[in-house]
């Protein structure tokens, strides 16, 4: 409790400090690349019919995802607290890369914990972290994914708290982390709200984002919470089946429980043991949804659906072929939900958060799109047809 209380006190002081906020805003603008554009996906929208789809382009930020927003904020906070050793966990690797990036920027020591399975899936990001000067520590316990990396990072933190700050990467863990991470990411929604007003003269009908722990989703949802006409749709990982252990959709078989410092909705077995999870996307492969998302669900302010691995992969190919944007596999889940809903949404406006770009997932795409690899060189490939994408149209709610 002592480090949690120290962190909360330091954060509340920093949040009300105009000089702290000014420095963070300047870094977000000049270093990270904010504001990110809101892009009208014209060809995708026209091919689907119905809704007009706008993409919030967090993939254009430095390091390739929204994670840099929170990493910059927490790095400034760590410096303010006199902590010069930074530890972090990562699943898809983007938070690890963002943490390694800000540690290089500020001259901090950086240690990143990552499950061995995620290291295999995200080899490019492991190399990027090491190139930036971070030490990447493989975690071989449990499922060897994000949950286990968080546990190892927490063990490190409580052992070395005097000089170490735990730069948690999602809206998870004990208070104040869910609040703090949300605050550092709410700039996404604030920008999107202004931008859609400029583009459409009003609010969107729906805001759609993928949800693992839920940092990008809570970041874009927050600015719209008071707008009752705007649907907030979080998209979880439907994985490869409906059985426990085959997916990471917490609202499919989950129940209230405590995990790693937070009370939320958790995938667990009949004895309350944390269940194994699966997703083609490492960043969504986690047993618990962020506690604020659970609260929004219980208040019926946000709704949560699930898209299968196949649906996300199909949506990634569709977006690539229609808009020239290869999304991160996490973001592809949100794209899939938009593709599913758009044909029935005549004259509606959707904003989809593209939380990251697909560079990190190229190896996974290659594994799943064998027809596009070396054997396909020189062959004429048919254009993507969103309306004929069976896995996307079959997304589960």
């Amino acid at each position: 409790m002592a480090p949690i209380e120290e962190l909360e006190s330091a954060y509340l002081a920093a949040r009300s400090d105009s000089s702290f906020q000014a420095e963070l805003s300047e870094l977000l603008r000049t270093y990270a690349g904010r504001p990110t554009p809101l892009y009208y996906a014209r060809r995708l929208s026209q091919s689907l019919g119905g809704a007009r789809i706008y993409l919030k382009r967090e993939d254009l930020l430095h390091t390739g995802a929204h994670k840099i927003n929170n990493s910059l904020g927490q790095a400034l906070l760590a410096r303010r607290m006199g902590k010069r050793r930074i530890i972090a966990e990562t699943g898809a690797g983007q938070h690890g890369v963002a943490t390694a990036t800000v540690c290089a920027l500020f001259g901090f020591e950086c240690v990143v914990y990552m499950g061995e399975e995620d290291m295999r899936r995200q080899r490019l990001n492991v190399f990027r972290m090491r190139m930036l000067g971070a030490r990447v520590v493989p975690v071989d316990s449990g499922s060897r994914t994000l949950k286990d990396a968080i546990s190892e990072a927490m063990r490190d933190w409580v052992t070395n708290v005097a000089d170490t700050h735990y730069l948690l990467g999602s809206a998870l863990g004990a208070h104040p982390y869910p609040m703090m991470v949300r605050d550092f990411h709410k700039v996404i929604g604030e920008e999107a709200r202004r931008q859609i007003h400029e583009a459409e003269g009003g609010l969107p009908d729906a805001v759609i984002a993928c949800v693992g722990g839920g940092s990008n989703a809570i970041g874009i949802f927050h600015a719209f919470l008071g707008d009752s006409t705007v649907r907030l749709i979080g998209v979880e990982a439907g994985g490869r089946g409906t059985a426990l252990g085959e997916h990471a959709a917490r609202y499919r078989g989950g129940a209230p429980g405590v995990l790693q410092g937070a009370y939320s909705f958790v995938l667990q077995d009949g004895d309350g043991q944390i269940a194994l999870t699966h997703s083609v996307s490492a960043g969504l492969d986690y047993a618990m949804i962020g506690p604020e998302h659970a609260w929004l669900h219980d208040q019926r302010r946000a709704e949560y659906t699930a898209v299968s691995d196949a649906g996300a992969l199909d949506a990634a190919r569709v977006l690539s072929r229609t808009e020239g944007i290869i999304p991160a596999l996490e973001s592809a889940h949100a794209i899939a939900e938009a593709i599913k809903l758009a044909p029935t949404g005549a004259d509606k406006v959707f904003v989809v958060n593209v939380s990251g770009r697909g560079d990190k997932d190229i190896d996974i795409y290659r594994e799943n799109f064998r027809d596009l690899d070396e054997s396909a060189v020189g062959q004429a490939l048919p254009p993507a047809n969103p309306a004929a994408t069976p896995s996307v149209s079959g997304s589960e709610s």
Side-chain angles (χ1 to χ4, degrees):
M1 287 303 297
I4 286 289
E5 289 168 351
E6 177 193 23
L7 179 61
E8 180 182 15
S9 176
Y11 175 63
L12 292 176
R15 187 170 68 171
S16 61
D17 184 338
S18 59
S19 63
F20 177 89
Q21 295 296 341
E23 186 173 6
L24 175 58
S25 295
E26 181 68 7
L27 284 170
L28 288 172
R29 185 179 66 85
T30 62
Y31 187 72
R34 302 213 73 93
T36 58
L38 186 70
Y39 166 70
Y40 174 46
R42 185 181 307 278
R43 291 196 66 235
L44 178 64
S45 300
Q46 291 174 348
S47 65
L48 293 166
R52 296 187 296 283
I53 299 173
Y54 286 83
L55 307 179
K56 182 58 174 162
R57 298 292 308 277
E58 295 297 287
D59 58 310
L60 295 179
L61 284 173
H62 180 43
T63 72
H66 72 292
K67 296 292 188 179
I68 193 70
N69 302 321
N70 172 58
S71 293
L72 282 169
Q74 288 200 50
L76 285 173
L77 184 61
R79 188 184 67 184
R80 183 185 180 101
M81 297 171 68
K83 315 274 181 155
R84 301 194 63 81
R85 179 176 181 266
I86 305 296
I87 60 172
E89 87 300 326
T90 196
Q94 284 301 113
H95 174 60
V97 169
T99 300
T101 297
V102 299
C103 286
L105 179 66
F106 286 92
F108 294 158
E109 179 185 354
C110 182
V111 179
V112 179
Y113 290 91
M114 191 172 190
E116 286 185 341
E117 171 61 15
D118 290 339
M119 290 181 71
R120 181 193 67 78
R121 293 193 285 185
Q122 301 292 336
R123 289 176 293 181
L124 174 61
N125 273 345
V126 172
F127 183 85
R128 292 171 74 194
M129 286 182 263
R130 289 172 174 161
M131 187 165 182
L132 289 159
R135 181 164 69 93
V136 183
V137 179
V139 178
D140 62 3
S141 59
S143 60
R144 300 176 295 130
T145 56
L146 180 59
K147 170 178 68 69
D148 313 291
I150 293 174
S151 294
E152 287 302 314
M154 285 182 166
R155 291 184 185 105
D156 183 319
W157 187 35
V158 298
T159 304
N160 301 290
V161 69
D163 67 346
T164 297
H165 172 66
Y166 178 17
L167 207 164
L168 183 58
S170 195
L172 301 166
H175 178 76
Y177 277 110
M179 174 185 71
M180 187 166 66
V181 173
R182 178 204 67 200
D183 287 352
F184 287 138
H185 283 307
K186 67 182 182 180
V187 64
I188 305 171
E190 291 168 349
E191 289 177 4
R193 199 173 190 281
R194 290 194 302 269
Q195 291 165 330
I196 198 66
H197 262 290
E198 293 170 2
E200 290 284 341
L203 293 170
D205 295 283
V207 176
I208 306 171
C210 65
V211 180
S215 61
N216 90 91
I218 205 65
I220 197 167
F221 287 177
H222 191 68
F224 297 94
L225 290 180
D227 303 309
S228 60
T229 60
V230 180
R231 291 176 66 188
L232 304 178
I233 304 173
V235 187
E236 299 184 286
R240 60 194 171 204
T242 58
L244 198 63
E246 295 293 295
H247 60 84
R250 283 62 56 102
Y251 290 107
R252 184 195 294 155
V258 175
L259 176 60
Q260 295 171 329
Y263 177 63
S264 186
F265 224 71
V266 186
L267 285 168
Q268 52 192 299
D269 65 20
D271 296 320
Q273 297 299 307
I274 305 304
L276 295 176
T277 57
H278 163 78
S279 174
V280 70
S281 163
L284 302 185
D285 199 352
Y286 185 65
M288 185 180 76
I289 194 167
E292 188 167 359
H293 285 291
W295 182 80
L296 290 173
H297 174 269
D298 289 351
Q299 297 295 310
R300 299 185 179 181
R301 180 60 193 94
E303 54 195 278
Y304 296 86
T305 66
V307 164
S308 67
D309 287 353
L313 288 163
D314 287 343
R317 192 190 294 226
V318 167
L319 187 66
S320 300
R321 299 281 181 87
T322 56
E323 297 293 344
I325 298 169
I326 303 175
L329 272 165
E330 291 80 8
S331 307
H333 286 71
I335 296 295
E337 187 67 16
I339 289 173
K340 172 189 169 185
L341 296 177
T344 60
D347 298 321
K348 293 189 181 298
V349 174
F350 296 167
V351 171
V352 182
N353 199 22
V354 181
S355 55
R357 60 177 173 254
D359 305 30
K360 69 181 179 63
D361 293 318
I362 290 300
D363 283 344
I364 300 174
Y365 284 137
R366 289 183 66 192
E367 290 174 10
N368 286 276
F369 297 149
R370 300 277 184 190
D371 58 314
L372 304 183
D373 217 335
E374 288 86 350
S375 61
V377 172
Q379 298 178 16
L381 297 172
N385 179 7
T389 309
S391 297
V392 171
S393 61
S395 302
E396 305 110 347
S397 295

